[in-house]
Amino acid sequence: MKPAENGAAVLIAAASARALAAAARLAGYRPLAADFFGDTDTRELCARSFHIEKGLESGFTAETLIPALEALCCGEAPCGLVYGAGFEDRPGLLAALARRWPVFGNAAQTVQRVKDPLQLLSLCAKLEIPHPEISLKRPRDCEGWLAKAAGGSGGTHVLPAASEHEAGENIYYQRMAKGVPASILFLADGQSAQTVGFSRQWAAPAPGEPFRFGGSLRPAELSAQTEEALRQAAEAVAAACGLRGLNSIDFLVDGKDWTLIEINPRPGATLDIFHDPSGSLFHAHLEACRGRLPRQPFQFPGAAAAAIVFARQDISSMPGMAWPAWAADRQKPQSRLRPHDPLCTVKAWATEPRRARALAEARVKAILGKLDRIQ
């Protein structure tokens, strides 16, 4: 690996690459990023960036992504490729990328294993980890069941089982479990795991998307007993699956009880609330993928929250805005937006979790109010 202090280039591919690009830049790398949004700040953070048109509709494909990455590499010698969300349901593409560049992340077969609902169910049973009942067939009585797309992310793929949805081989059904969402972010070296932190998430429902991801908050304010249980579950999963780099696991926590819902085998949206000004977390991801965990665990003082701001109405041409420093994923001017499309992400820091979330929610309203005034 080229040393970061020399400004080594690194490829980044994710549905939204901004958080990874920002983390890479803090660590001293020169990001070369491809994603589906091409947001203003993503382009500013990157040495080069590529906006994959219609990526939100088709997802990543070899036909669009590989030429984009090759164009980003022109005249460059990147140390490797870091991927984020967008590959959970396409391990074949990950394998193709690994044949061209060193990939910092989980191998294709690992991603396939942890995102396959039946394999995950079997893994949890073997490790004695609570996990909801799974069915590949639609239950006769849909009450209390969800329909999910294998490899989906962001909550937009989750619907009540009784809802109308497209049938397909990637659709499966999961019995609903009690509790509030909580997640553990951790580093893994292929054998062991080191906890980075715990967070809570909340939904921002939209028509046809009742479980759409809305934001996250740390710390999760879980009991010490629950944190230890979730930590042990993550360590067991990491060892059994040979996970590498930054990963997260989503749970539902109901008092002293908890249930594992999903494994996310890549860095995700909580990078914003586990903000590391030194860039050490991004570097730790690369090092963990090479089999080395940090000597000391990360510590994040205070509280942090991040929330997605969604458009309330149709915007035929996104106006230019003077964005505040706490706004990220900034929509570029003249973009066409439909109701419920993302406008940006707002971030907030405070001494206590409730204050951080309240500040984030106030900033959501501030952005929407500002947009209303200048339209």
Side-chain angles (χ1 to χ4, degrees):
M1 181 190 300
K2 293 186 177 181
E5 57 268 25
N6 289 345
V10 61
L11 286 167
I12 294 172
S16 175
R18 188 269 316 160
L20 279 170
R25 177 65 73 180
L26 284 172
Y29 293 86
R30 297 176 55 251
L32 311 171
D35 77 352
F36 300 156
F37 293 96
D39 293 324
T40 301
D41 46 342
T42 303
R43 292 182 291 176
E44 292 173 351
L45 287 162
C46 294
R48 291 178 184 168
S49 63
F50 194 102
H51 175 205
I52 297 179
E53 300 284 349
K54 298 184 178 179
L56 287 172
E57 290 78 16
S58 61
F60 284 118
T61 66
E63 292 74 20
T64 57
L65 179 59
I66 291 176
L69 294 175
E70 289 175 341
L72 291 171
C73 286
C74 185
E76 299 278 1
C79 63
L81 181 147
V82 175
Y83 67 87
F87 296 91
E88 291 89 341
D89 62 346
R90 45 206 71 198
L93 179 54
L94 278 180
L97 295 176
R99 290 192 290 269
R100 287 169 168 79
W101 299 279
V103 171
F104 293 103
N106 289 297
Q109 61 268 28
T110 302
V111 174
Q112 184 173 32
R113 179 184 181 189
V114 300
K115 300 310 293 186
D116 180 285
L118 293 184
Q119 290 195 56
L120 177 58
L121 182 65
S122 176
L123 173 69
C124 288
K126 181 180 179 180
L127 298 177
E128 298 183 345
I129 293 174
H131 183 69
E133 182 182 353
I134 294 292
S135 174
L136 298 184
K137 295 182 178 180
R138 187 169 181 166
R140 289 187 178 182
D141 182 1
C142 291
E143 184 69 25
W145 285 82
L146 297 171
K148 305 178 77 172
S153 62
T156 56
H157 66 294
V158 183
L159 289 169
S163 301
E164 292 293 329
H165 57 269
E166 293 184 8
E169 59 182 16
N170 66 329
I171 297 295
Y172 69 99
Y173 300 89
Q174 184 182 87
R175 189 180 289 278
M176 296 178 70
K178 294 181 180 180
V180 294
S183 179
I184 180 173
L185 179 67
F186 60 94
L187 288 158
D189 63 1
Q191 295 181 321
S192 55
Q194 183 183 102
T195 299
V196 174
F198 296 90
S199 61
R200 289 191 182 274
Q201 296 78 45
W202 64 86
E209 298 177 348
F211 299 99
R212 181 182 62 173
F213 176 78
S216 56
L217 171 72
R218 70 148 182 87
E221 296 187 296
L222 303 172
S223 69
Q225 179 183 359
T226 299
E227 283 193 355
E228 182 59 27
L230 302 190
R231 183 179 293 110
Q232 290 182 11
E235 290 174 352
V237 168
C241 299
L243 294 177
R244 290 182 178 271
L246 278 167
N247 301 263
S248 65
I249 299 179
D250 297 333
F251 299 89
L252 289 176
V253 176
D254 183 28
K256 295 181 179 180
D257 298 325
W258 53 273
T259 305
L260 186 151
I261 299 299
E262 198 159 17
I263 300 171
N264 304 303
R266 40 72 183 170
T270 56
L271 281 176
D272 280 328
I273 59 171
F274 290 102
H275 175 70
D276 167 43
S278 70
S280 298
L281 190 57
F282 184 86
H283 186 68
H285 172 63
L286 304 192
E287 288 294 288
C289 290
R290 302 175 72 197
R292 293 194 289 266
L293 293 177
R295 293 182 179 180
Q296 297 295 327
F298 283 85
Q299 294 185 343
F300 296 89
I308 301 175
V309 185
F310 296 98
R312 292 189 291 202
Q313 57 197 17
D314 187 85
I315 301 175
S316 58
S317 179
M318 180 70 187
M321 289 182 62
W323 294 97
W326 38 259
D329 302 319
R330 303 167 182 174
Q331 275 284 355
K332 52 188 177 294
Q334 301 181 354
S335 297
R336 171 67 187 269
L337 300 177
R338 299 165 298 179
H340 311 294
D341 279 350
L343 284 167
C344 69
T345 299
V346 298
K347 298 179 282 186
W349 293 267
T351 55
E352 299 175 359
R354 65 178 181 83
R355 291 182 176 178
R357 180 165 180 179
L359 181 55
E361 291 174 346
R363 288 175 170 176
V364 168
K365 293 179 180 178
I367 290 291
L368 291 173
K370 185 174 183 177
L371 183 60
D372 287 343
R373 289 192 295 274
I374 64 177
Q375 269 194 292

